[in-house]
Amino acid sequence: MQEHTRYLKLPFQFDEKKLVQELSVIFDHQWIPHFNENAYSGDWKVISLYAEGGDNSNIFARPNSTSPISETQVLKRCPYYRAVINSFKFPILTARILRLGVGAEIKPHRDHDLGYENGNFRLHIPITTNPNVEFILDGDRLTMLPGECWYTNVNYIHSVKNAGNQDRLHIVIDGKSNEWSDQLFFSLAPPESFRPIPRENDSPETIKRTIEELQRSNAPIAQQLIDQMLQKLAEINKTTL
């Protein structure tokens, strides 16, 4: 049987110098701590580039309303970042810059329905990094260099540790698959290699624990996440009746 495709280096190379230059615009704005406070230690912050209603403060990765997805005011001041995002001809769900500070660590975890087989997928474009960043995906260490573009199937267990002396900043784009992206992905890996995997974090018990953790959080986005978890739990219960 064909192995699952867990990650791909895509055939794009963006201008590292221009990526770094526009950071001067980004650092003028307030960085928002990542909402999943139990999933990391140290400094992990976000700036939104594409969000529901173009809301700068919305750093949520999965849209949960009917509001249109549009550019934030931050992105409107960053012509090169806009050009990078616009080079992808699939619907954008969100685009953010994630900054993992020196010494910070994202604990091992899975995300929900963010593999290409789900119709939603995640791309990483490093802006700054260092050799001591450890990005581990399903046991493999990925070395993603500035200006490169990588697909990572984050349905698999993954973690990140910044053991270096420089912050790690990535543009992270969540997209919805279409004919353009199919042509790209299937030119790099067989279509049958993109298929669902069993996920432990889909169990009702795990979802309930996640809801309990979110209820203890003061993050503004927590209720939105809770609503999504409750909806997922209801769908699971419906299928088991």
Side-chain angles (χ1 to χ4, degrees):
M1 180 178 291
Q2 175 69 45
E3 290 189 3
H4 289 82
T5 293
R6 297 166 297 150
Y7 52 86
L8 290 170
K9 181 182 176 185
L10 302 184
F12 299 93
Q13 181 64 51
F14 298 104
D15 190 313
E16 179 183 353
K17 184 177 179 180
K18 290 181 180 179
L19 288 170
V20 172
Q21 282 177 338
E22 283 196 346
L23 283 179
S24 62
V25 176
I26 294 297
F27 277 103
D28 288 342
H29 292 264
Q30 182 178 3
W31 290 82
I32 300 175
H34 196 282
F35 50 80
N36 196 352
E37 298 169 350
N38 297 309
Y40 66 95
S41 61
D43 185 47
W44 189 26
K45 294 183 178 178
V46 187
I47 279 184
S48 186
L49 303 178
Y50 259 85
E52 292 178 334
D55 182 1
N56 286 324
S57 65
N58 186 348
I59 63 170
F60 190 44
R62 301 295 296 274
N64 195 36
S65 75
T66 57
S67 299
I69 307 301
S70 58
E71 298 179 1
T72 65
Q73 290 299 317
V74 175
L75 184 59
K76 290 177 180 178
R77 295 180 56 196
C78 299
Y80 189 65
Y81 293 162
R82 182 193 291 142
V84 168
I85 294 169
N86 288 342
S87 66
F88 300 104
K89 308 304 180 185
F90 52 74
I92 303 295
L93 298 176
T94 59
R96 302 168 294 161
I97 294 182
L98 274 69
R99 186 181 78 193
L100 190 67
V102 172
E105 182 173 2
I106 303 169
K107 301 173 185 178
H109 68 287
R110 299 178 190 259
D111 290 281
H112 293 276
D113 297 333
L114 265 175
Y116 197 77
E117 63 273 11
N118 303 119
N120 305 310
F121 58 96
R122 176 162 293 174
L123 303 182
H124 281 256
I125 301 167
I127 301 173
T128 65
T129 188
N130 66 75
N132 293 314
V133 168
E134 298 176 4
F135 187 110
I136 308 297
L137 176 67
D138 194 36
D140 288 351
R141 181 175 179 177
L142 305 187
T143 300
M144 296 184 276
L145 300 178
E148 294 180 345
C149 180
W150 287 74
Y151 158 69
T152 57
N153 186 334
V154 289
N155 291 333
Y156 288 90
I157 294 175
H158 57 287
S159 62
V160 192
K161 181 178 182 180
N162 185 358
N165 56 9
Q166 181 183 19
D167 289 351
R168 167 192 180 266
L169 288 95
H170 282 199
I171 297 175
V172 178
I173 301 170
D174 288 354
K176 187 175 180 64
S177 62
N178 64 2
E179 184 177 353
W180 185 91
S181 64
D182 282 350
Q183 291 180 355
L184 171 63
F185 276 70
F186 300 158
S187 71
L188 300 170
E192 59 269 22
S193 71
F194 299 95
R195 62 184 187 275
I197 58 172
R199 292 185 315 213
E200 299 169 0
N201 64 341
D202 271 351
S203 70
E205 293 75 17
T206 302
I207 292 174
K208 289 175 183 177
R209 287 198 299 271
T210 302
I211 291 172
E212 291 172 357
E213 291 176 357
L214 288 167
Q215 288 172 336
R216 292 193 291 269
S217 172
N218 294 320
I221 202 68
Q223 188 57 52
Q224 192 173 1
L225 286 164
I226 290 170
D227 292 342
Q228 280 205 342
M229 293 292 99
L230 289 171
Q231 182 179 358
K232 194 173 190 69
L233 188 61
E235 290 171 356
I236 292 174
N237 290 336
K238 187 185 299 182
T239 61
T240 57
L241 291 178

